[in-house]
Amino acid sequence: MNLLKLIGWELDRVKKIYGLLLGVLITIQFGWLAVFLWRNTVLNEEYRREGQSLLVVFHSYLMSTPYILSIGIGLIVMLVFSGWIWYREFWGRGTFMMRLLTLPTKRIQLFISKFITIMMMILGLIAVQWFALVIEYQIFTTWLDGQGIRQQDTFADIRQLDVFSLLYPTSFVNFIIHVMLIAFVVLTIFTFVLVERSLWQRTIFSPLVSIALIGGVLAIPSTIFYVIEQYLFMDELALILVIGFLFSVATLTIIARQYLQKKLSV
Amino acid sequence: MIEVLGVKKRYRKKQVIEDVSFTAQKGEITCLIGLNGTGKSTILKGIMGLTPFDQGTVLVDGKPIDLNRVAFVPDHSTFPIHFTIEQCEAFMRDFYPTFDPKLFARLVDEFKLFPEDKLNELSKGTLAKVNLALGIAQDPDYLLLDEPFSGIDVFSKEQIVELFSSDLMEDRGVLITTHEIEDIEYLVDKAVMLNRGRIAREFDVEDVRFIHGKSIVDVMREEYGA
């Protein structure tokens, strides 16, 4: 029950900044789409006067700097926010972390609530981006059709682009794998923050100690994989990858839990 | 009864708390006394698990601490400063099953607080009253107060002191750290005096007063050679 309340509480606290992020992304993408279409319409007029015809592809819009920038902003904000969702609780002297740690609830619920909040934000962002893509494509085709401008690619071609094949995999299994990888990144950031915040008398070296600890954990399976990679068949490699991933997840979870329960110092 | 048993805490090379053991009884006010840096706040935070001890145990009525039964009131707010008093109350109501809104309303009334006020608009004295009201409204068996009079005006201090002798504190165990000992000396049942991370003296305040004719400050003067 407290977990649901905590998730509700976290979501309530992020709603403004999340709404702002979505607003910025949508404004950049649709604003740029308007500019993109207008430029091509003008260019098409010039081509027509010279007796030529213009071919516009949706990929050009998606691979343009403003569009890539909007995706990059979303990615960076979510990465930063994965750390900030913890760091903000330590902000100032009257740290809210003190209140959270003295709640009559299991501390691991704090961790889970923040984790679920971040995952909901990331998946929500991916979903909003998908709907935005669909609408952008509709506007794109409708406008160009109306102007009599030729176009080539279909909506399905969008997934051929690296960034969209990662965000919107074609199979459910791939989607689950990608979500697990995102969750792993969030878990790694969470563990880093908890270790760093647990080191008493925090200094400039605290982040380095945290990075060394987490880096050490991640280096073990990576090194083993690197050493034995050449002696294994493909399906054996896949198995080793899965075992290495599970080892990393389990170890990071144990470290995060231990530091949250026993070492976190406010 | 809160039992602090053999706790130790080291910050880097400095042993801040060295094998400290004491008890704080329910229905009594126990005062942790010491000069600055003797580890008073660290002990309170350690009891609450906010700064874990390196060694030792804390028991509340013979069991590990139950955060429904022990409230901690630090000398600053633990809520985001843009919160209003009513937002703090809403949070407490949501997350503390023992939180008593009627009790809080009574304290808001007694302290003449305005629920719509934001924490960052309050004076230090008013903020101390808000903290105390939130802590007491948790309706805990034990209340841990860290420097509740730090930097507050004389009238706010009076109001808080009056609260200690009111029915609101009956049957609760209070463990308090303060430098303003003169203001609450007549309310304190037991004093635990810390010196360099160790317990220098632990005494019944009334006994010392009646048998030896000394106040807490007199004992402190002897101990610290001030």
Side-chain angles (χ1 to χ4, degrees):
Chain A
M1 190 62 184
N2 262 353
L3 179 62
L4 291 178
K5 282 184 192 169
L6 280 168
I7 294 170
W9 164 258
E10 289 289 351
L11 288 174
D12 192 51
R13 288 173 82 197
V14 298
K15 68 183 178 198
K16 280 185 189 166
I17 192 162
Y18 192 58
L20 183 70
L21 173 66
L22 292 179
V24 167
L25 296 190
I26 297 295
T27 306
I28 291 176
Q29 291 186 8
F30 282 90
W32 172 239
L33 180 61
V35 173
F36 181 86
L37 290 175
W38 181 250
R39 276 186 188 173
N40 279 292
T41 305
V42 171
L43 194 62
N44 185 54
E45 279 304 307
E46 287 174 16
Y47 270 53
R48 193 177 289 171
R49 269 186 243 123
E50 291 167 10
Q52 294 173 324
S53 66
L54 181 69
L55 176 69
V56 184
V57 288
F58 195 52
H59 278 188
S60 308
Y61 165 68
L62 298 178
M63 294 310 290
S64 59
T65 307
Y67 197 91
I68 296 291
L69 185 73
S70 73
I71 301 281
I73 288 173
L75 181 72
I76 290 168
V77 167
M78 290 323 301
L79 280 173
V80 170
F81 206 82
S82 298
W84 178 243
I85 199 168
W86 284 103
Y87 275 117
R88 66 181 172 172
E89 316 296 19
F90 293 88
W91 203 252
R93 182 163 184 253
T95 57
F96 189 51
M97 199 60 189
M98 212 177 242
R99 174 62 60 194
L100 293 177
L101 292 180
T102 51
L103 287 179
T105 184
K106 286 180 181 163
R107 285 188 181 182
I108 196 69
Q109 291 193 355
L110 289 179
F111 184 94
I112 296 170
S113 66
K114 287 184 187 294
F115 188 82
I116 290 175
T117 302
I118 290 288
M119 289 306 291
M120 285 173 81
M121 288 172 79
I122 293 172
L123 295 177
L125 196 61
I126 292 174
V128 168
Q129 180 60 68
W130 175 259
F131 286 117
L133 259 178
V134 172
I135 296 168
E136 283 156 10
Y137 186 73
Q138 284 300 321
I139 293 172
F140 183 85
T141 52
T142 308
W143 176 266
L144 293 184
D145 284 345
Q147 297 296 319
I149 301 173
R150 286 191 302 138
Q151 47 188 300
Q152 199 173 45
D153 45 9
T154 64
F155 189 71
D157 295 335
I158 292 168
R159 280 183 169 146
Q160 287 171 2
L161 295 172
D162 285 347
V163 62
F164 294 110
S165 65
L166 282 171
L167 290 176
Y168 309 110
T170 45
S171 75
F172 183 69
V173 173
N174 279 351
F175 173 73
I176 296 295
I177 291 171
H178 291 183
V179 170
M180 282 167 69
L181 289 173
I182 292 169
F184 180 70
V185 173
V186 176
L187 174 67
T188 307
I189 295 172
F190 275 25
T191 309
F192 165 81
V193 177
L194 290 173
V195 173
E196 195 272 331
R197 289 285 101 183
S198 300
L199 299 172
W200 186 253
Q201 298 284 318
R202 290 181 276 270
T203 65
I204 195 168
F205 298 110
S206 307
L208 300 178
V209 173
S210 313
I211 289 171
L213 178 67
I214 292 164
V217 170
L218 301 182
I220 295 169
S222 310
T223 311
I224 293 172
F225 183 80
Y226 180 74
V227 170
I228 63 172
E229 176 185 23
Q230 53 198 315
Y231 305 110
L232 300 174
F233 293 111
M234 203 58 192
D235 46 353
E236 290 169 330
L237 279 175
L239 182 68
I240 294 293
L241 265 177
V242 170
I243 292 170
F245 179 74
L246 292 177
F247 166 83
S248 303
V249 168
T251 313
L252 288 178
T253 308
I254 290 166
I255 292 173
R257 189 170 184 273
Q258 182 70 9
Y259 274 78
L260 181 65
Q261 304 270 37
K262 309 268 185 203
K263 292 185 183 287
L264 197 62
S265 199
V266 188
Chain B
M1 175 173 62
I2 296 178
E3 292 171 89
V4 177
L5 305 166
V7 298
K8 292 182 181 180
K9 181 75 188 175
R10 174 185 283 271
Y11 294 151
R12 285 186 177 177
K13 290 178 181 173
K14 191 181 176 194
Q15 190 73 41
V16 182
I17 300 167
E18 205 161 338
D19 201 17
V20 165
S21 300
F22 65 91
T23 59
Q25 301 286 339
K26 204 173 172 188
E28 287 188 357
I29 297 181
T30 305
C31 190
L32 268 180
I33 305 165
L35 303 177
N36 288 331
T38 46
K40 305 184 294 294
S41 298
T42 307
I43 288 175
L44 292 195
K45 287 206 259 177
I47 292 172
M48 296 302 290
L50 293 169
T51 304
F53 294 124
D54 299 331
Q55 276 183 48
T57 314
V58 175
L59 297 173
V60 177
D61 294 336
K63 295 174 191 165
I65 189 164
D66 172 359
L67 293 170
N68 276 310
R69 299 181 58 215
V70 184
F72 177 52
V73 181
D75 64 340
H76 53 78
S77 173
T78 53
F79 282 98
I81 52 167
H82 61 271
F83 264 40
T84 61
I85 296 174
E86 50 195 358
Q87 281 177 311
C88 298
E89 188 209 353
F91 180 90
M92 298 294 283
R93 250 195 342 244
D94 266 356
F95 290 100
Y96 290 85
T98 55
F99 188 81
D100 183 346
K102 284 181 188 164
L103 188 54
F104 185 72
R106 180 181 157 189
L107 287 158
V108 164
D109 193 43
E110 280 185 22
F111 284 147
K112 296 182 177 59
L113 302 171
F114 299 99
E116 64 280 8
D117 281 355
K118 285 187 172 183
L119 299 182
N120 57 6
E121 293 165 352
L122 303 178
S123 67
K124 194 151 189 211
T126 311
L127 202 55
K129 288 183 221 169
V130 173
N131 285 343
L132 197 57
L134 290 168
I136 293 172
Q138 264 178 255
D139 203 13
D141 293 337
Y142 298 93
L143 198 56
L144 274 52
L145 305 173
D146 191 13
E147 298 287 355
F149 310 115
S150 168
I152 68 172
D153 64 85
V154 64
F155 302 111
S156 298
K157 207 181 286 181
E158 272 176 14
Q159 273 187 305
I160 293 174
V161 171
E162 269 174 35
L163 194 73
F164 283 117
S165 47
S166 74
D167 62 308
L168 287 172
M169 300 302 249
E170 262 175 29
D171 298 328
R172 299 189 206 280
V174 177
L175 181 57
I176 184 172
T177 73
T178 180
H179 287 112
E180 330 275 323
I181 295 150
E182 300 93 332
D183 295 315
I184 58 160
E185 174 151 6
Y186 68 98
L187 296 168
V188 174
D189 299 290
K190 178 181 174 184
V192 177
M193 198 173 283
L194 291 163
N195 196 3
R196 295 183 180 181
R198 289 177 182 275
I199 292 188
R201 291 192 198 182
E202 188 176 352
F203 54 91
D204 186 302
V205 176
E206 215 165 81
D207 283 354
V208 167
R209 193 179 301 130
F210 285 110
I211 299 169
H212 304 286
K214 289 176 184 170
S215 67
I216 296 178
V217 178
D218 293 332
V219 181
M220 283 180 77
R221 204 164 273 132
E222 282 175 13
E223 181 60 37
Y224 301 122

